Amino acid sequence: MGIWLNQSSIDGFILLGIFSHSQTDLVLFSMVMIVFIVALCGNILLIFLIYKDPRLHTPMYFFLSQLSLMDLMLISDIVPKMAVNFLLGRKSISFVGCGIQIGFFVSLVGSEGLLLGLMAYDRYVAITHPLHYSILMSQRVCLQIAGSSWTFGIIDGMIQMVAAMSLPYCGSKSVDHFFCEVPALLKLSCTDTSIFDTLLFACCVFMLLLPFSIILASYACILGAVLHMHSAQARKKALATCSSHLTTVSLFYGAAMFIYLRPRRYRAPSHDKVVSIFYTVLTPMLNPLIYSLRNREVMGALRKGLGLCKICSQH
């Protein structure tokens, strides 16, 4: 095993990627880079607004800032390497680089999944226990929620990174993907990976299905509370505060479950690559747009910031 590991460490892997240098793929690559830039700017702006505007110093916006930070790190873990390889005509990634990419990717996806689940609990408390909200969602509780999301995500990432990098790789080193993702890497191992497959599935069940169960339970309670509200305006406001979170949840969990919870025999590299583009590039761009364009407080903070910039420029 040590021989294989040393050989892999020297050779690294070849990322086959998703783009060729045809005219169509050049256009698609340009679109991905535009999305990447929008995602970077959108998430940085949202974090800045939440940090600077006192009106956004609430639990919901604190969790949003953490979500934006995760999205920012996730897209930065994947796209720059893909872009450099494409522009320089290279496809290689070192063994260490591949391990780092797996560690960051799994940690961030796991952390984001848990955070989205616990954000549903925050919405449940806000709508069903509004008078006790500030007590139930104190600063200490918010820090515990965010900290547990990061901690479990990092533990999951470390487990999968160490396990994947400990496997022997022989023969072809060509990964049929645009980044080092564990399921694509397992196909290159020259040993039985059934135990690792079971471990991977167990991690995914815990990191995806557990928070998804929290989301379903929270929104079932929220729906029951909304239906018992006498005011139509109160019902509308309650549903509006949940719609952005539900949209994000649908995008994230739909793609992640398609990738990780399908039986192995139904997996196709072409499908995995397209869906991976969706939740590594598109979702980090859409999240700040969903939470800003559909949110009065965030748009108000943005207008206030633009107004201050205008006044400063005039002086």
Side-chain angles (χ1 to χ4, degrees):
M1 185 170 173
I3 295 171
W4 291 120
L5 194 58
N6 290 338
Q7 188 62 36
S8 298
S9 301
I10 296 167
D11 295 343
F13 298 97
I14 303 297
L15 297 173
L16 297 181
I18 196 170
F19 301 118
S20 65
H21 283 80
S22 67
Q23 196 68 35
T24 304
D25 281 0
L26 282 170
V27 173
L28 290 173
F29 173 76
S30 300
M31 289 173 65
V32 167
M33 293 313 297
I34 291 169
V35 169
F36 172 66
I37 293 167
V38 172
L40 282 182
C41 296
N43 283 293
I44 290 171
L45 179 61
L46 190 56
I47 292 169
F48 177 75
L49 290 175
I50 291 169
Y51 175 74
K52 291 295 288 183
D53 197 310
R55 291 174 298 177
L56 303 183
H57 293 175
T58 63
M60 185 179 81
Y61 292 110
F62 169 70
F63 296 138
L64 272 183
S65 69
Q66 295 299 299
L67 186 68
S68 283
L69 181 60
M70 291 171 186
D71 281 336
L72 199 59
M73 293 174 69
L74 178 61
I75 199 168
S76 299
D77 179 45
I78 305 298
V79 177
K81 177 63 178 175
M82 180 185 72
V84 168
N85 278 4
F86 178 81
L87 294 171
L88 298 181
R90 296 188 320 211
K91 293 188 175 182
S92 61
I93 184 168
S94 67
F95 184 81
V96 173
C98 190
I100 291 171
Q101 203 171 59
I102 287 173
F104 272 102
F105 173 75
V106 175
S107 296
L108 292 165
V109 169
S111 298
E112 188 163 333
L114 287 170
L115 184 64
L116 285 171
L118 294 168
M119 282 172 72
Y121 172 74
D122 169 66
R123 292 298 82 211
Y124 159 73
V125 174
I127 290 170
T128 58
H129 300 88
L131 298 178
H132 301 98
Y133 180 71
S134 59
I135 299 169
L136 293 172
M137 296 302 295
S138 64
Q139 185 179 25
R140 181 185 172 188
V141 172
C142 291
L143 290 172
Q144 287 174 340
I145 286 174
S148 62
S149 298
W150 281 104
T151 301
F152 281 110
I154 290 168
I155 291 171
D156 185 31
M158 292 299 292
I159 290 171
Q160 291 198 39
M161 179 185 71
V162 170
M165 294 296 100
S166 299
L167 291 171
Y169 296 99
C170 48
S172 173
K173 298 286 169 49
S174 299
V175 181
D176 195 3
H177 217 307
F178 59 91
F179 70 100
C180 283
E181 192 171 27
V182 175
L185 209 62
L186 288 182
K187 296 174 184 177
L188 305 183
S189 178
C190 51
T191 189
D192 181 22
T193 61
S194 55
I195 295 175
F196 189 92
D197 283 331
T198 305
L199 173 68
L200 180 62
F201 186 77
C203 285
C204 291
V205 166
F206 177 75
M207 300 301 288
L208 291 175
L209 291 187
L210 178 64
F212 191 66
S213 301
I214 295 171
I215 291 167
L216 290 178
S218 297
Y219 276 103
C221 295
I222 288 169
L223 184 60
V226 168
L227 291 174
H228 284 89
M229 288 178 179
H230 299 294
S231 168
Q233 188 175 358
R235 284 198 297 270
K236 186 178 179 181
K237 184 179 179 181
L239 291 172
T241 61
C242 297
S243 61
S244 297
H245 183 251
L246 277 173
T247 305
T248 302
V249 164
S250 301
L251 292 171
F252 178 84
Y253 279 97
M257 286 180 177
F258 180 84
I259 291 286
Y260 289 102
L261 298 183
R262 281 180 304 157
R264 195 170 183 178
R265 63 181 177 275
Y266 295 121
R267 292 176 187 166
S270 57
H271 295 162
D272 287 355
K273 284 191 278 190
V274 171
V275 177
S276 293
I277 277 279
F278 189 82
Y279 74 88
T280 57
V281 182
L282 281 177
T283 303
M285 179 200 74
L286 291 172
N287 282 349
L289 294 178
I290 290 167
Y291 279 108
S292 60
L293 296 177
R294 301 179 65 178
N295 190 299
R296 286 182 181 180
E297 286 87 356
V298 174
M299 291 304 291
L302 181 59
R303 281 193 291 270
K304 180 183 173 184
L306 292 173
L308 289 173
C309 289
K310 189 176 180 181
I311 292 169
C312 291
S313 65
Q314 287 174 350
H315 289 285

